């Protein structure tokens, strides 16, 4: 999506310990009378101390991360000092739309009236009444606004701070969940410490919370990390029934909250289901035996292939059937986008091209790997991934080979490689989400955070170092433990030495929010237009108009609705080559009173030719594009000049329908004439 550029100017101002789980049982000596003379009690106390210290470190790192991102946000915008309208403008694009519903609930006369306004909303899409709670994932804004109203904190804390501090607080949950997952996998909290440090030092690629606070992913990913931690624990063997029940409850609650807070949750759940399905197919999960897992190798492979094809076909058929019955078309544009993205034919579909031309939906840039390599994360991740994949292939082949082959291999001493179910799950998880991130840059935050967990686990893993040392014929128990602890500590020291000065410089750098043109526009709208006025323009700008002024919109950035996508395409004809009569008729059909034109879109240079918004509109309308370059042979010249350029000449054919009422260096606002 096209986004407005914000100017930001400088402000002038005067040894690890092992966890108890999955570790070898301690050797015990026994007296002649049968009493145990072991260090069992001492070992138990040591484990309690280890868990206590590890827990304190996890909570401390989580809180420090929250303070860190909050400080960066304050330093970058001088948020505590700027005006309310500037604070709201800083919530760009869809962020502003989501925050507007929190503001709407706060300002409502009562909670009941606020909820009624969301269920019967007629200001988000003009001449339509929609249910915001049904259409958008804003339950978190509703919950937070109700919490703010009922808690006695109004005189101490402004609503906007309650909102952003909640999001920054969720970063503490995120860090703790990543830390715990790595700890559970490796058995030492040193691994969790390394994962958290990598997350922080790779902040550019692991999170964008400090400058896109209300984005759905910033709400959802902490719960997703909690869910992964719970599943990792659930896949351990020999859990007590009470432990299983509590863990199942944690998985359920975390999955529910994740699904509630992000519109893309179904794609993540599908990938997770696929990961569990793959593990089950290769007998890497502790499940009951099935027919699939019986018979010789070739027979089982045949059943496996048939099983996979059957599941995929049934999934597609059921999906198609349900959409047909319920007449669902909200994700139609996603499939068009995917079809064009992966080379299954070019498309002139406006919505698909709008996504294809955005960097966020393109392939993961190569410079991402150079940044991740600076902290050694990527190198270690590839190292761990290689050895874990080798172990997984060997174990999967052994499982599929049948009991006779396994017994033969055991006799030959070759059956020494093991792979725990929790490690196998995280391996498949990181591979699948890595593929997703490589294909779509916006999804990299799912992968990079788990990359920190997986790399730190591998570096502190008994299984990985045992396999590595055996491969080079240097394995002893002592060497394995030396590698398991020394390499992570050296890595932590390297990260601290290299990146601590940069973090301190970053925290001391002071800037200030600066966007006078947008501030001027919002103030003019509030002072010079009626509260019932309807505004048309770009999706991104209109989200800010709703938040800052409360005026009614024709369209907005929450693009997951077919009718809204068609409406947006029609509104965007203001940047196409259409006659003033056509544009006027389109705008009036949506009840438009004012239209806002942006020079940054009309004369866009951010994208290359073919990806500028005006080019996408020209192609969709069958018109040749502006500028030097090739055009498809069936595209034809338009009979009319570009509307956003021609309207500025004040020709009679335009002034009959449009009257300019506001103008600055960035925006031009026109009032639509009311013809009988």
């Amino acid at each position: 999506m096209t986004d407005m550029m914000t100017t930001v100017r400088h402000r002038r101002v005067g040894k690890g310990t092992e966890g108890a789980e999955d570790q070898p049982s301690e050797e015990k000596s026994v007296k002649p009378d049968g009493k145990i003379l072991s260090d069992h009690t001492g070992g138990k106390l040591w484990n309690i101390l280890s868990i206590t210290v590890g827990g304190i470190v996890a909570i401390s790192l989580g809180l420090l991360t929250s303070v860190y991102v909050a400080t960066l946000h304050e330093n970058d915008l001088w948020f505590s000092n700027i005006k309310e309208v500037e604070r709201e403008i800083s919530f760009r694009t869809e962020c502003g739309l989501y925050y507007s519903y929190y503001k709407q609930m706060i300002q409502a006369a009562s909670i009941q009236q606020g909820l009624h306004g969301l269920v019967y909303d007629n200001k988000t899409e003009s001449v339509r009444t929609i249910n915001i709670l049904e259409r958008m994932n804003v339950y978190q804004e509703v919950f937070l606004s109700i919490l703010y109203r009922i808690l006695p904190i109004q005189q101490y804390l402004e609503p906007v701070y309650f909102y952003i501090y909640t999001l920054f607080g969720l970063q503490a949950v995120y860090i703790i969940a990543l830390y715990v997952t790595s700890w559970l996998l490796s058995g030492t909290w040193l691994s969790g410490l390394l994962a958290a440090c990598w997350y922080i030092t790779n902040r550019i690629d692991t999170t964008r919370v400090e400058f896109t606070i209300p984005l759905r992913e910033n709400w959802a990913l902490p719960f997703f990390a909690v869910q992964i931690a719970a599943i990792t624990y659930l896949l351990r063997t020999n859990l007590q029934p009470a432990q299983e029940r509590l863990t199942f409850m944690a998985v359920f609650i975390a999955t529910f909250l994740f699904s509630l807070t992000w519109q893309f949750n179904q794609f993540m759940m599908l990938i997770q289901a696929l990961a569990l399905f793959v593990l089950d197919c290769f007998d890497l999960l502790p499940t009951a035996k099935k027919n699939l897992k019986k018979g010789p190798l070739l027979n089982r492979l045949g059943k496996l292939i048939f099983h996979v094809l059957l599941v995929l076909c049934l999934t597609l058929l059921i999906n198609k059937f349900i959409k047909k019955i319920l007449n669902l078309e909200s994700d139609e544009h996603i499939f068009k986008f995917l079809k064009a993205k992966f080379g299954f034919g070019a498309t002139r579909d406006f919505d698909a091209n709008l996504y294809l031309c955005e960097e966020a939906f393109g392939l993961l840039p190569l410079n991402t790997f150079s940044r991740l390599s600076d902290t050694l994360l990527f190198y270690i991740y590839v190292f761990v991934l290689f050895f874990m994949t080798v172990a997984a292939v060997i174990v999967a082949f052994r499982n599929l080979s049948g009991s006779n082959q396994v017994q033969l291999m055991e006799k030959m001493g070759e059956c020494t490689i093991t792979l725990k179910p929790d490690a196998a799950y995280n391996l498949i998880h990181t591979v699948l989400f890595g593929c997703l991130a490589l294909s779509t840059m916006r999804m990299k935050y799912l992968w990079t955070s788990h990359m920190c967990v997986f790399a730190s686990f591998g570096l502190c893993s008994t299984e990985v170092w045992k396999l590595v040392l055996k491969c080079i014929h240097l394995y002893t128990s002592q060497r394995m433990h030396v590698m398991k602890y020394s390499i992570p500590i050296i890595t932590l020291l390297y990260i601290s030495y290299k990146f601590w000065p940069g973090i301190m410089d970053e925290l001391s750098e002071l800037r200030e929010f600066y966007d006078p043109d947008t501030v001027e526009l919002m103030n003019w709208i509030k002072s010079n237009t009626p509260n019932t006025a309807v505004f048309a323009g770009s999706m991104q700008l209109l989200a800010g108009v709703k938040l800052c002024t409360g005026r009614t919109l024709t369209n907005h950035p929450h693009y997951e609705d077919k009718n809204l996508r068609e409406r947006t395409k029609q509104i965007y004809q203001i940047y196409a080559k259409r006659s003033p009569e056509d544009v006027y008729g389109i705008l009036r059909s949506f009840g438009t009173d004012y239209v806002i034109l942006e020079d940054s879109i009309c004369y866009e240079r951010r994208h290359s030719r073919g990806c500028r918004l005006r080019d996408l509109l020209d192609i969709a309308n069958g018109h040749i594009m502006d500028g030097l370059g090739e055009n498809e042979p069936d595209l034809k010249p338009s009979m009319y000049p570009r509307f956003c350029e021609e309207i500025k000449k004040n020709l009679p054919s335009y002034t009959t329908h449009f009257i300019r009422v506001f103008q600055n260096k960035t925006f031009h606002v026109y009032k639509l004439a009311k013809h009988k």
Side-chain angles (χ1 to χ4, degrees):
M1 308 284 176
T2 306
D3 194 6
M4 297 178 296
M5 300 299 291
T6 301
T7 303
V8 178
R9 65 184 182 188
H10 284 273
R11 192 194 324 160
R12 293 188 179 92
V13 292
K15 168 180 172 185
T17 54
E18 294 287 334
E21 296 287 346
D22 289 347
Q23 299 303 317
S25 59
E26 298 171 3
E27 294 294 330
K28 300 177 182 178
S29 58
V30 183
K31 272 187 175 182
D33 60 0
K35 292 183 180 179
I36 296 176
L37 285 177
S38 71
D39 58 350
H40 176 72
T41 303
K44 191 173 181 180
L45 289 173
W46 181 253
N47 285 330
I48 292 172
L49 178 63
S50 170
I51 291 170
T52 302
V53 172
I56 292 171
V57 172
I59 294 169
S60 301
L61 280 171
L63 294 175
L64 284 172
T65 303
S66 295
V67 173
Y68 174 55
V69 294
T71 304
L72 290 177
H73 176 257
E74 168 63 24
N75 288 357
D76 198 43
L77 301 177
W78 205 3
F79 200 74
S80 60
N81 192 68
I82 58 179
K83 299 175 183 177
E84 185 67 20
V85 65
E86 292 176 308
R87 290 178 180 175
E88 292 178 345
I89 291 170
S90 72
F91 296 136
R92 294 293 185 184
T93 64
E94 59 189 289
C95 299
L97 184 69
Y98 296 132
Y99 183 77
S100 73
Y101 299 118
Y102 171 77
K103 179 182 177 182
Q104 183 177 326
M105 283 290 295
I106 292 289
Q107 293 180 342
S110 65
I111 293 174
Q112 291 77 10
Q113 287 189 18
L115 290 172
H116 184 273
L118 293 180
V119 174
Y120 301 97
D121 180 276
N122 54 14
K123 295 184 76 67
T124 302
E125 295 177 15
S126 58
V127 302
R128 285 185 75 188
T129 298
I130 62 174
N131 185 340
I132 297 297
L133 295 180
E134 182 183 26
R135 277 274 299 276
M136 304 183 195
N137 299 73
V138 294
Y139 290 102
Q140 51 268 48
E141 276 77 20
V142 172
F143 172 76
L144 214 58
S145 63
I146 294 174
L147 199 61
Y148 182 79
R149 294 180 70 123
I150 62 177
L151 291 176
I153 57 174
Q154 287 87 346
Q155 57 182 333
Y156 309 109
L157 195 65
E158 296 176 62
V160 67
Y161 280 108
F162 185 66
Y163 186 90
I164 66 173
Y165 287 166
T166 300
L167 267 301
F168 293 145
L170 277 176
Q171 284 293 298
V173 176
Y174 200 3
I175 284 288
I176 292 170
L178 298 176
Y179 182 107
V180 169
T181 304
S182 190
W183 186 0
L184 288 171
L185 287 168
S186 65
T188 171
W189 57 260
L190 179 64
S191 171
L193 174 61
L194 183 55
C197 290
W198 264 329
Y199 178 89
I200 294 166
T201 52
N202 290 282
R203 177 180 54 82
I204 293 174
D205 295 298
T206 55
T207 183
R208 47 180 174 169
V209 66
E210 76 273 14
F211 60 90
T212 58
I213 299 173
L215 271 190
R216 303 300 83 180
E217 69 189 45
N218 296 328
W219 284 97
L221 292 186
F223 300 123
F224 190 58
V226 171
Q227 184 228 44
I228 294 170
I231 292 175
T232 299
Y233 184 74
L234 186 65
L235 291 176
R236 288 185 158 200
T237 54
N238 303 321
L239 287 182
Q240 298 298 320
Q243 292 175 314
E244 281 197 351
R245 285 194 295 270
L246 287 173
T247 310
F248 268 120
M249 183 62 67
V251 171
F252 169 76
I253 293 172
T255 304
F256 175 74
L257 292 173
F258 170 68
S259 300
L260 208 63
T261 51
W262 201 15
Q263 68 268 34
F264 294 132
N265 67 81
Q266 64 269 30
F267 301 106
M268 308 306 109
M269 295 294 101
L270 177 63
I271 292 174
Q272 277 197 319
L274 180 61
L276 293 171
F277 174 69
V278 169
L279 291 175
D280 184 59
C281 287
F282 290 103
D283 205 6
L284 294 171
L285 290 178
T287 56
K289 292 292 181 181
K290 298 174 184 181
N291 289 331
L292 175 68
K293 299 173 182 176
K294 293 181 180 178
L297 177 60
L298 290 177
N299 191 19
R300 297 179 76 178
L301 284 174
K303 289 180 181 178
L304 177 61
I305 294 169
F306 174 75
H307 195 184
V308 170
L309 291 174
L310 183 64
V311 168
L312 289 175
C313 291
L314 283 175
T315 301
L316 293 172
L317 286 173
I318 292 171
N319 180 272
K320 196 80 174 175
F321 178 74
I322 291 174
K323 285 183 179 178
K324 192 76 174 176
I325 293 295
L326 300 179
N327 196 28
L328 298 176
E329 299 176 305
S330 58
D331 59 357
E332 179 187 44
H333 63 303
I334 298 292
F335 292 103
K336 289 181 181 177
F337 159 69
L338 292 174
K339 182 180 176 182
K341 181 179 178 68
F342 294 111
F344 295 105
T347 180
R348 289 185 180 177
D349 183 78
F350 175 77
D351 301 319
N353 285 327
L354 201 59
Y355 280 102
L356 284 169
C357 286
E358 278 305 307
E359 185 183 9
F361 292 93
L363 300 177
L364 189 66
L366 292 177
N367 60 9
T368 306
F369 301 108
S370 63
R371 288 194 301 269
L372 295 173
S373 299
D374 285 342
T375 62
L376 304 181
L377 172 59
F378 185 67
Y379 296 132
I380 293 172
Y381 174 78
V382 172
F383 166 79
V384 174
L385 185 64
F386 172 76
F387 281 99
M388 291 295 292
T389 302
V390 169
V393 170
I394 293 172
V395 172
F397 179 78
R398 191 176 69 211
N399 291 344
L400 290 175
S401 296
S403 58
N404 293 333
Q405 286 85 346
V406 171
Q407 290 173 5
L408 179 62
M409 291 171 72
E410 285 176 345
K411 288 179 182 178
M412 296 173 65
E414 296 176 4
C415 194
T416 57
I417 296 175
T418 59
L419 186 67
K420 294 184 294 184
D422 53 359
Y425 165 73
N426 279 274
L427 170 63
I428 301 297
H429 183 284
T430 198
V431 169
L432 293 179
F433 280 89
C435 294
L436 182 65
L438 290 170
S439 65
T440 307
M441 191 190 79
R442 185 175 178 181
M443 297 301 176
K444 74 174 179 179
Y445 302 101
L446 288 158
W447 184 42
T448 49
S449 58
H450 192 264
M451 187 188 288
C452 300
V453 171
F454 195 77
S456 61
F457 142 65
L459 214 57
C460 301
S461 168
T462 301
E463 290 80 7
V464 169
W465 284 117
K466 185 183 291 186
L467 181 60
V468 171
L469 291 172
K470 282 188 176 182
C471 285
I472 57 177
H473 305 292
L474 291 175
Y475 174 75
T476 65
S477 179
Q478 292 79 8
R479 284 175 183 160
M480 183 265 294
H481 279 90
V482 168
M483 299 297 287
K484 177 178 176 177
Y485 292 111
S486 62
I487 300 298
I489 291 172
I490 291 170
T491 305
L492 280 169
L493 291 173
Y494 168 80
I495 293 172
S496 302
Y497 173 77
K498 184 171 182 179
F499 293 97
W500 183 257
I503 290 174
M504 291 297 101
D505 290 342
E506 193 177 34
L507 288 172
S508 63
E509 187 176 10
L510 303 177
R511 302 186 180 196
E512 179 184 0
F513 179 86
Y514 187 71
D515 190 1
D517 290 349
T518 308
V519 170
E520 185 185 13
L521 172 67
M522 299 304 173
N523 287 333
W524 180 87
I525 292 173
K526 285 193 286 188
S527 303
N528 297 277
T529 64
N531 293 333
T532 56
V534 177
F535 278 79
S538 70
M539 296 182 288
Q540 295 78 11
L541 179 63
L542 289 184
V545 169
K546 184 181 188 305
L547 171 58
C548 297
T549 71
R551 302 303 190 261
T552 304
L553 314 180
T554 55
N555 55 307
H556 55 80
H558 196 272
Y559 217 51
E560 280 70 46
D561 178 76
K562 185 179 181 181
N563 289 326
L564 176 66
R565 292 195 295 271
E566 182 57 37
R567 176 186 282 228
T568 299
K569 180 182 174 182
Q570 292 298 311
I571 295 294
Y572 277 3
Q573 297 304 310
I574 59 179
Y575 296 109
K577 298 171 182 175
R578 298 290 293 269
S579 70
E581 292 78 17
D582 286 348
V583 174
Y584 178 82
I586 291 169
L587 294 176
R588 287 303 298 159
S589 70
F590 298 118
T592 307
D593 297 311
Y594 297 87
V595 59
I596 307 174
L597 295 170
E598 301 169 60
D599 286 348
S600 59
I601 299 178
C602 190
Y603 307 107
E604 181 189 354
R605 293 189 180 92
R606 187 166 70 96
H607 290 100
S608 60
R609 184 176 184 269
C611 267
R612 300 169 299 191
L613 179 61
R614 61 182 186 267
D615 297 334
L616 303 183
L617 290 163
D618 289 343
I619 293 170
N621 293 340
H623 300 151
I624 62 173
M625 295 180 287
D626 294 339
L628 298 174
E630 296 182 359
N631 287 282
E632 293 186 28
D634 59 329
L635 296 179
K636 297 177 180 168
S638 173
M639 295 172 58
Y640 305 98
R642 194 166 303 282
F643 178 84
C644 63
E645 296 177 357
E646 200 70 9
I647 192 174
K648 296 170 186 174
K649 298 178 181 178
N650 291 322
L651 300 174
S653 57
Y654 287 83
T655 56
T656 303
H657 306 293
F658 302 96
I659 305 161
R660 184 161 57 197
V661 291
F662 174 83
Q663 169 183 6
N664 63 21
K665 291 183 294 183
T666 305
F667 305 105
H668 303 261
V669 181
Y670 293 87
K671 183 176 181 179
L672 274 69
K674 299 291 180 70
H675 300 314
K676 293 184 180 179

